Amino acid sequence: MTNNVIEPKRVLVTGGAGFIGSHLCDCLLARGDEVLCVDNFYTGRRRNIEHLLGNPRFELLRHDITHPLFVEVDEIYNLACPASPIHYQVDPVQTTKTCVMGAINMLGLAKRLKAKIFQASTSEIYGSPHVHPQVEDYWGNVNPIGPRSCYDEGKRCAETLFFDYHRQHGTKIKVIRIFNTYGPRMHPNDGRVVSNFIVQALTGQPITIYGDGNQTRSFGYVDDLITAITAMMETPDTVTGPVNVGNPVEFTMLELARLVIEMTGSSSELRHLPLPLNDPHQRRPDISVARRVLGWEPTVQLREGLRATIAYFDSSLAAGHAAVDDASASISRII
């Protein structure tokens, strides 16, 4: 009789205590894998993975991937890097090192182990795009010397390394470009629009809108993203990406602010501030490749996802976990 039992994999998740990484750890453990979560806790938080610490198939290692890592695993998910401007601009040199040296170290590990490796790339690859919506073969419009360049160009260089390792060494790579993602476990002081608006609304602070508020973003819920990530890892080795993953429904910042105010029952007013340098005016993915290659598209609508995210922040604020200081105070704590 043929034994069809599939042996669980030992999987490395870098940045595993972060917002997206912790949800990925949950998913991998739920399907029976062993998970080695690696994080230096620069922006990752222990409380994101505290519920996993008693799981015998979960291991936590504090480590910075700008330094080599010598472990034995079957697959690697590389998610390590601060992803919000307020965090990655605090130490831009370290951000670039994490993107580039981190990729080199993880690719070197994958090469040695002959392991499949996933790269969490970003829509910031496209910069302030001249093509809308963004398609994977668009090369982007990125300022190489601006305040966002450490992240934008760092991620672009990481993609270069992944594809060169694939061409030169036959490394099995999977690359997706993640568009705006939100959900429970977002850092309350990450400066991203969804977490900013929700925390401000729940605490009665003014809702800060940069520019006139007519710039657009598309918002993907974290559960949809995790489904896409794991689906990408299960594709044949010939499928390398990059693949856009995000929600193609576009909202202006004003629309999002008004929806958050409505759903929280807040009395917060809108406050307009100057638009940050190099902030993209439009951002929306073309997900035709994801639909074709992964059989994937988002299923969680914005109102549904916001409901769960608001409940998370409401609970965190009540428990005293989510600080509500302004951006400058957040940066001072990180420094």
Side-chain angles (χ1 to χ4, degrees):
M1 181 181 293
T2 304
N3 187 348
N4 292 322
V5 176
I6 299 175
E7 289 295 321
K9 298 168 184 163
R10 180 161 171 77
V11 182
L12 166 63
V13 180
T14 71
F19 160 46
I20 294 171
S22 62
H23 285 280
L24 178 60
C25 289
D26 285 342
C27 175
L28 297 174
L29 288 166
R31 74 181 192 185
D33 291 335
E34 296 180 13
V35 174
L36 172 58
C37 168
V38 169
D39 206 296
N40 68 352
F41 293 98
Y42 179 65
T43 55
R45 296 187 294 169
R46 188 178 180 87
R47 65 181 299 254
N48 287 343
I49 44 87
E50 273 181 346
H51 63 290
L52 302 177
L53 295 178
N55 190 320
R57 289 183 287 106
F58 180 79
E59 183 180 355
L60 174 63
L61 174 64
R62 183 186 289 266
H63 180 81
D64 188 325
I65 64 164
T66 61
H67 303 286
L69 180 63
F70 301 99
V71 294
E72 302 298 319
V73 294
D74 304 309
E75 292 182 347
I76 302 167
Y77 290 83
N78 186 35
L79 280 71
C81 189
S84 70
I86 200 171
H87 289 155
Y88 66 62
Q89 291 176 7
V90 169
D91 191 344
V93 172
Q94 183 65 22
T95 297
T96 303
K97 288 169 68 176
T98 301
C99 291
V100 177
M101 294 174 62
I104 291 170
N105 288 329
M106 292 304 104
L107 284 162
L109 179 63
K111 177 188 171 187
R112 177 177 71 82
L113 298 174
K114 296 182 171 55
K116 191 185 304 183
I117 181 169
F118 169 90
Q119 168 67 1
S121 192
T122 173
S123 61
E124 302 297 339
I125 289 288
Y126 301 116
S128 185
H130 293 160
V131 171
H132 190 76
Q134 290 78 62
V135 293
E136 287 85 351
D137 59 2
Y138 173 53
W139 292 352
N141 175 46
V142 177
N143 178 357
I145 59 171
R148 300 170 67 106
S149 304
C150 56
Y151 184 72
D152 299 3
E153 294 287 37
K155 286 288 191 176
R156 286 165 68 93
C157 185
E159 281 199 15
T160 300
L161 287 162
F162 265 70
F163 281 89
D164 281 340
Y165 264 78
H166 174 66
R167 285 184 286 259
Q168 187 171 341
H169 302 298
T171 306
K172 293 177 284 188
I173 66 167
K174 305 289 178 182
V175 178
I176 70 168
R177 292 173 177 166
I178 301 171
F179 282 68
N180 288 59
T181 304
Y182 70 99
R185 301 182 197 160
M186 293 184 78
H187 196 293
N189 292 315
D190 66 5
R192 299 189 206 187
V193 64
V194 172
S195 52
N196 269 5
F197 285 5
I198 291 174
V199 171
Q200 288 167 343
L202 288 173
T203 56
Q205 300 179 70
I207 304 290
T208 53
I209 294 180
Y210 295 94
D212 61 11
N214 288 315
Q215 65 270 39
T216 64
R217 295 292 185 272
S218 55
F219 302 102
Y221 190 63
V222 65
D223 287 359
D224 282 333
L225 173 61
I226 297 302
T227 299
I229 289 174
T230 53
M232 183 67 179
M233 203 62 149
E234 296 305 314
T235 56
D237 292 348
T238 52
V239 177
T240 59
V243 176
N244 288 338
V245 172
N247 195 316
V249 180
E250 216 169 346
F251 294 88
T252 68
M253 298 301 95
L254 284 172
E255 288 173 327
L256 177 66
R258 288 165 182 155
L259 181 57
V260 168
I261 289 172
E262 173 204 325
M263 293 184 67
T264 56
S266 175
S267 58
S268 294
E269 299 179 348
L270 303 183
R271 175 191 293 167
H272 289 263
L273 297 176
L275 194 67
L277 184 65
N278 300 141
D279 189 59
H281 184 70
Q282 289 181 301
R283 185 64 61 74
R284 175 163 67 92
D286 183 311
I287 61 169
S288 301
V289 175
R291 289 188 175 112
R292 184 178 72 253
V293 173
L294 306 181
W296 175 91
E297 61 182 301
T299 61
V300 180
Q301 301 303 313
L302 181 61
R303 185 177 287 270
E304 178 187 354
L306 284 177
R307 188 176 297 113
T309 310
I310 289 167
Y312 167 78
F313 277 113
D314 196 24
S315 174
S316 295
L317 287 165
H321 292 311
V324 295
D325 308 51
D326 63 18
S328 60
S330 173
I331 290 177
S332 70
R333 282 195 301 275
I334 296 167
I335 293 173

